[in-house]
Amino acid sequence: MKYKSQKVAYWFFALCMLLFSLQIVYGFIMGFARIGFDVLHEFAPFNTARAVHTNLLVLWLLSGFMGAAYYIIPEEAQRELVSVKLAYVQLISLALVGVAAITGYHFNIWEGRKFLEIPRELDYLVVINVLLFLGIIITTLYKGKRRTTTAMVLVMGLLFAALLYLPGMIWFDSQVTDSFFRWWVVHLWVEGVWELIMGGILAFLLIKLTGVDREVIEKWLYVIVGLTFLSGILGTGHHYYYIGVNKIWIIVGGIFSALEPLAFLAMALFAVYMYRKGEKNHPNKIALFWTIGASIVSFIGAGLLGFAHTLPQTNIYTHGTLVTAMHGHYAFWGAYAMIVLAIISYSMPNMTGRKRFNNTAGHLAFWLSNIGMLGMVTAMGVAGVVQVYLERKLKMDFMVVQDEVVVHFAVMLVCATMFATGIGIYIYEFIKFGRPTDEAMEKNELGVNNDEPVKPQLVS
Amino acid sequence: MLSKSQAQAFFLGGTLVTFLIFIGLTIYSMMPSNDQTNHENITAEVIQGKHLWETNNCMGCHSIMGEGGYYAPELTKVVERKGEPVIKAILMSPVPWAPNGRKMVAYEMSEEDAEAMIEYFKWIGELDLNGFDHMVSPLAKDRMEKMKNK
Ligand code: HEM
Ligand code: HEM
Ligand SMILES: [Fe+2]
C-alpha cells in the first residue's frame, strides 16, 4: 500500500542532496588550508569552514531522517499524513533556519561550541520547527490503523533527539559545565537516540527488502536499541575523562563505552543475517547495498574505530587529535550518511515510478564513495597516529608536527576527490529519477511495497 | 528463545536503570565538594573571556581541554607556554598571526578584551584534568628532558 502524502519525503531528500554537496565543498576548503592553500581565508577562515562543514552535515542528516519519517510513518501507520501543507511549511522553515545559521557563520555570528554553533536565538526556531515536525508525525501515528515497533522506535528516536537538544541551550559560566552538558546533546545523539532512528529505518528497509517476517525483525530491533542505551547512556563518560570533572567517569565511562560497539555489532549481524535468511529477489539492489553497507561500515567506523580510542589509557594520548577526526568521519559516514542514502535509494523508484535500481551508475556511486571515504579515513588515521606519537609521546611542538602530516592530507584530498565523484554520481542519479508522481505512488509495483514477502514468480 | 516482549522489557529496563545511574552520577560530579575547577575563581573577567572565546568561535581551530578543532594548538596551558605579552600581541594584532605559515584570524581585540581572554586561559590552566593537563603542559616536556638525561 502506498500513500500520496509520502511524496513530501522527496523534497526533504532533495534538500539533503543540496546541503550534502555544499558540505563537501567546505570539506575541501579545509583540506586545502591544511596543505598550505588557505586561499579563501578572508571569505571562510578555517573555523568558518569547519562550522559550516559540520553543521551542514547534521542538517542534511536531520533532513534525511525527517524525509525518512514522512515516508515510513504513513506506510507503517497505514494512513496519509495528517497535513501535507504543514509538512511543506516545516520543510521550508527548516531550510530557512539552516541558511540563516550558515550565512551567519561567515560574519562571525555564532557560538563557539563545537557542533552546536547555532546561536541561541535561532535555537528557538529550531525547536519550533522540530515541534511542528513531531506534531505531524505523532498525530499521524496516533490516528493510524496500527502502531508498529518499527514506527515506535523511529518516533521515539526523533522525540528524544528533540528533548536532548534542550540541555545544550542552557547557559553556564564555567567552560567545564558547558562542555559537560554539550555532550548530552552531541554524544547522546550519535551514540544514543540517533541509533534508534537508524535502527528504525534499518528495520523498515530490511522488512521491505528481505521479506523476512516483521515479528522477527522487530524483536531483534528491541535487542539492538536495548544494547544501545545500556552502553551508550553511561558511555557518555568517555567524554568526561579529561575535562575537569570527577574521576568516577574514568571507570564508568571506560567500562560502558567499551560496550558500545556491541550495539553496532548486533546491527551488522542483524542486517547480514536477515539478508541471508530472506528471499533474495527484491529488484532494488542498490538500496540493498546501501542498507547492508550502512550496517557494516557503522560497525567499523563507530564500533571498532570508536573502541580504538575509548579506553582512558589510550584516550589520554589521542584526546583531541586527528585520531578523533578520523573516527568522526567514518562513524558519521557509516551509520548516518549511508542509512539516509539507503532510504533515498529505496524510496526513489517507488515515488517516481522509474526503475533505476540496478544500473551501473548507481553501483559506481556506491563503490566510489565508499572506497574514497575509506582512503580518506586511512590517510587521516595515519596522520593521527603520527601526531599522537610525535606530539604526545615525544612532546614535539604542535605546528612542527602539523608540517610532518601535510603529506597525509594531500593523500586525503586525492581520496576525497574520488569520494566526491561518487557522491556526484549519486546526486546525478537522484536528479535523473525526476519528480514523484501520484500515478507512481498508486501503482503497487511488483508487490515490493507490501509487507508480505515478494513472490518469486512476480520477478522477471 | 527470546520473545518479543522479553526483548522489549530488556530495552525498557536497561534504559531506565542506566538513565537513573547517569542522573545520579551527574549530580555527584556537580557537587561542590567534588569540584576540580576552582569554581570560586570564575571572575567577571573569566566570564568575559569565555564570552569572547564563544563569540569568535576560537574552538573552530583550537582545542581547549582537548575539545575543538585540530587545526591550531591546544590552548589549555597556553599562558604557561607563551607568556602573557605574546598572547596579548597575537589577540590585538591587526594582521593575521601566522608564525608557521598557517593563518589565524586577526581579531584586533581591545587591551581589555585581550586581558579578559588571558584571565580565562589562566583559569583553564589551573583545572585538574585528571592527568591530561600534564599531557599538554610544558612541565611534561621538562619531565621528558629529565628522563632522557638519566
Ligand atoms: C555512529 C556513532 C558515532 C558517531 C557519529 C561518532 C562521532 C564522533 C565524533 C564526531 C567525535 C568528535 C567529538 C568531539 O571531539 O567534539 C567522537 C569522539 C569520540 N568517539 Fe565517537 N562516534 C560514534 C560512536 C562511537 C562509539 C561506539 C565509540 C566507542 C566505542 C566512540 C568513541 C569515541 C571517543 C572515545 C571519542 C572522544 C575522542 C577524543 O577524546 O577526542 N564513538 N565521535
Ligand atoms: C570531500 C570530503 C571531505 C573532506 C575533504 C573533509 C575534510 C574535513 C576536515 C579537514 C575537517 C577538520 C578537521 C580539523 O579540525 O582539523 C573535517 C571535520 C569533520 N568532517 Fe569532514 N570532510 C569531508 C567529508 C565529510 C563527510 C562526508 C562527513 C560525514 C559523513 C564528514 C564529517 C566530518 C566531521 C564529523 C568532522 C568533525 C570531526 C571532529 O571534530 O572530530 N566530513 N572534515
Ligand atoms: Fe561519544
Side-chain angles (χ1 to χ4, degrees):
Chain A
M1 202 54 195
K2 288 183 199 171
Y3 300 88
K4 283 182 189 162
S5 55
Q6 286 178 296
K7 277 189 312 192
V8 188
Y10 173 85
W11 294 102
F12 281 84
F13 295 155
L15 183 62
C16 277
M17 297 292 104
L18 180 70
L19 300 177
F20 189 13
S21 43
L22 273 177
Q23 187 215 344
I24 293 177
V25 171
Y26 281 83
F28 274 107
I29 295 179
M30 280 190 287
F32 278 110
R34 279 192 153 278
I35 60 170
F37 298 100
D38 190 8
V39 284
L40 292 175
H41 184 82
E42 295 304 319
F43 163 72
F46 192 88
N47 58 346
T48 297
R50 193 180 210 288
V52 174
H53 182 68
T54 52
N55 281 255
L56 280 175
L57 168 67
V58 173
L59 196 62
W60 81 257
L61 291 178
L62 286 178
S63 177
F65 294 160
M66 288 171 173
Y70 284 131
Y71 187 84
I72 293 174
I73 295 301
E75 212 157 305
E76 291 290 297
Q78 296 182 338
R79 65 156 287 150
E80 299 281 359
L81 291 172
V82 285
S83 169
V84 174
K85 215 180 266 165
L86 284 177
Y88 281 115
V89 170
Q90 193 253 319
L91 168 78
I92 292 165
S93 58
L94 178 77
L96 288 181
V97 173
V99 170
I102 302 299
T103 311
Y105 298 166
H106 291 80
F107 298 98
N108 217 23
I109 304 169
W110 45 18
E111 284 174 11
R113 300 161 76 234
K114 196 177 177 186
F115 294 113
L116 303 183
E117 285 89 350
I118 298 187
R120 308 280 155 123
E121 298 78 24
L122 283 179
D123 275 345
Y124 293 104
L125 294 182
V126 174
V127 170
I128 296 172
N129 184 274
V130 172
L131 283 180
L132 178 57
F133 163 74
L134 286 172
I136 299 169
I137 290 296
I138 292 174
T139 342
T140 305
L141 189 59
Y142 183 76
K143 290 190 176 165
K145 287 204 193 69
R146 54 174 197 178
R147 259 158 261 160
T148 62
T149 303
T150 302
M152 292 303 276
V153 168
L154 178 62
V155 171
M156 222 189 300
L158 293 161
L159 178 67
F160 287 165
L163 289 178
L164 281 169
Y165 193 69
L166 304 179
M169 290 171 64
I170 310 172
W171 176 262
F172 296 103
D173 286 338
S174 161
Q175 183 73 43
V176 172
T177 324
D178 200 310
S179 250
F180 190 94
F181 288 103
R182 192 173 58 84
W183 289 116
W184 280 35
V185 189
V186 180
H187 170 96
L188 289 176
W189 265 15
V190 300
E191 289 155 71
V193 296
W194 280 27
E195 282 180 59
L196 265 63
I197 301 173
M198 180 191 176
I201 300 177
L202 187 65
F204 175 81
L205 286 168
L206 289 173
I207 290 169
K208 299 292 169 182
L209 293 171
T210 68
V212 172
D213 184 43
R214 175 183 286 277
E215 284 302 302
V216 178
I217 290 195
E218 292 184 338
K219 176 175 82 183
W220 290 108
L221 179 60
Y222 269 132
V223 174
I224 290 167
V225 295
L227 284 172
T228 297
F229 278 161
L230 196 63
S231 60
I233 295 177
L234 289 168
T236 315
H238 68 181
H239 302 287
Y240 297 161
Y241 299 154
Y242 306 120
I243 64 161
V245 290
N246 197 271
K247 290 188 178 57
I248 187 89
W249 293 108
I250 295 190
I251 302 164
V252 176
I255 293 171
F256 283 87
S257 72
L259 298 175
E260 281 179 36
L262 286 181
F264 287 97
L265 177 64
M267 205 124 52
L269 292 177
F270 168 65
V272 172
Y273 182 70
M274 292 307 158
Y275 167 67
R276 294 177 63 174
K277 190 175 150 96
E279 299 173 46
K280 300 172 189 57
N281 49 19
H282 194 286
N284 195 338
K285 296 295 176 219
I286 291 167
L288 188 67
F289 268 81
W290 285 107
T291 305
I292 307 287
S295 73
I296 294 174
V297 179
S298 66
F299 171 60
I300 302 173
L304 289 182
L305 295 179
F307 185 78
H309 62 157
T310 203
L311 296 179
Q313 295 85 342
T314 322
N315 191 260
I316 196 166
Y317 287 103
T318 59
H319 180 46
T321 64
L322 291 166
V323 170
T324 310
M326 170 273 301
H327 152 73
H329 277 88
Y330 217 34
F332 262 113
W333 169 249
Y336 304 121
M338 286 182 76
I339 201 72
V340 168
L341 298 181
I343 184 78
I344 295 179
S345 290
Y346 168 75
S347 61
M348 286 301 280
N350 298 347
M351 290 194 290
T352 62
R354 305 232 171 129
K355 301 196 170 98
R356 307 176 67 85
F357 39 44
N358 200 10
N359 57 354
T360 316
H363 284 285
L364 201 61
F366 176 85
W367 288 109
L368 280 179
S369 58
N370 265 291
I371 297 171
M373 180 51 87
L374 183 61
M376 281 167 62
V377 166
T378 309
M380 241 185 283
V382 174
V385 171
V386 170
Q387 183 193 9
V388 167
Y389 193 77
L390 297 183
E391 194 185 309
R392 300 275 164 91
K393 202 92 185 167
L394 302 184
K395 308 287 169 194
M396 278 167 68
D397 178 69
F398 177 89
M399 282 308 303
V400 175
V401 175
Q402 291 295 308
D403 276 344
E404 296 293 325
V405 300
V406 163
V407 58
H408 304 301
F409 276 91
V411 175
M412 181 204 158
L413 281 172
V414 174
C415 299
T417 308
M418 185 172 176
F419 172 79
T421 311
I423 299 304
I425 298 173
Y426 189 96
I427 295 174
Y428 172 80
E429 275 294 300
F430 182 88
I431 295 169
K432 274 291 196 181
F433 266 110
R435 303 282 169 77
T437 61
D438 283 344
E439 302 78 69
M441 301 300 302
E442 275 158 14
K443 200 169 63 187
N444 203 354
E445 142 257 329
L446 293 180
V448 291
N449 244 7
N450 277 337
D451 278 339
E452 292 81 40
V454 183
K455 303 283 181 301
Q457 64 270 25
L458 284 177
V459 180
S460 50
Chain B
M1 202 42 192
L2 184 79
S3 72
K4 192 169 169 185
S5 58
Q6 283 171 325
Q8 188 186 31
F10 166 70
F11 166 61
L12 295 175
T15 304
L16 189 68
V17 171
T18 50
F19 182 72
L20 290 177
I21 300 176
F22 183 63
I23 298 296
L25 286 174
T26 298
I27 295 170
Y28 174 77
S29 49
M30 291 293 146
M31 281 185 335
S33 54
N34 285 328
D35 181 43
Q36 302 186 178
T37 68
N38 309 303
H39 200 271
E40 66 286 356
N41 294 350
I42 302 182
T43 59
E45 266 193 308
V46 174
I47 296 174
Q48 169 67 4
K50 177 174 183 275
H51 177 72
L52 290 166
W53 174 260
E54 286 180 354
T55 47
N56 292 302
N57 191 15
C58 308
M59 215 190 207
C61 296
H62 294 278
S63 56
I64 199 147
M65 314 183 303
E67 296 184 352
Y70 317 117
Y71 188 67
E74 163 66 51
L75 297 178
T76 301
K77 291 279 180 182
V78 67
V79 182
E80 243 178 286
R81 226 156 25 81
K82 290 272 181 203
E84 294 184 28
V86 177
I87 300 174
K88 240 166 127 172
I90 296 174
L91 294 175
M92 294 168 64
S93 162
V95 290
W97 164 255
N100 295 282
R102 201 176 267 188
K103 277 189 202 154
M104 172 163 154
V105 176
Y107 286 108
E108 298 184 73
M109 281 188 193
S110 66
E111 180 144 17
E112 207 183 316
D113 282 352
E115 272 162 12
M117 228 35 267
I118 289 175
E119 287 308 307
Y120 167 81
F121 286 136
K122 278 188 187 160
W123 174 75
I124 292 273
E126 282 160 12
L127 301 175
D128 173 0
L129 300 181
N130 295 340
F132 188 68
D133 33 345
H134 297 293
M135 185 59 77
V136 291
S137 102
L139 301 173
K141 263 186 214 164
D142 300 345
R143 261 209 313 280
M144 291 299 296
E145 288 302 322
K146 267 189 213 142
M147 274 162 62
K148 262 186 225 154
N149 295 340
K150 263 182 199 163

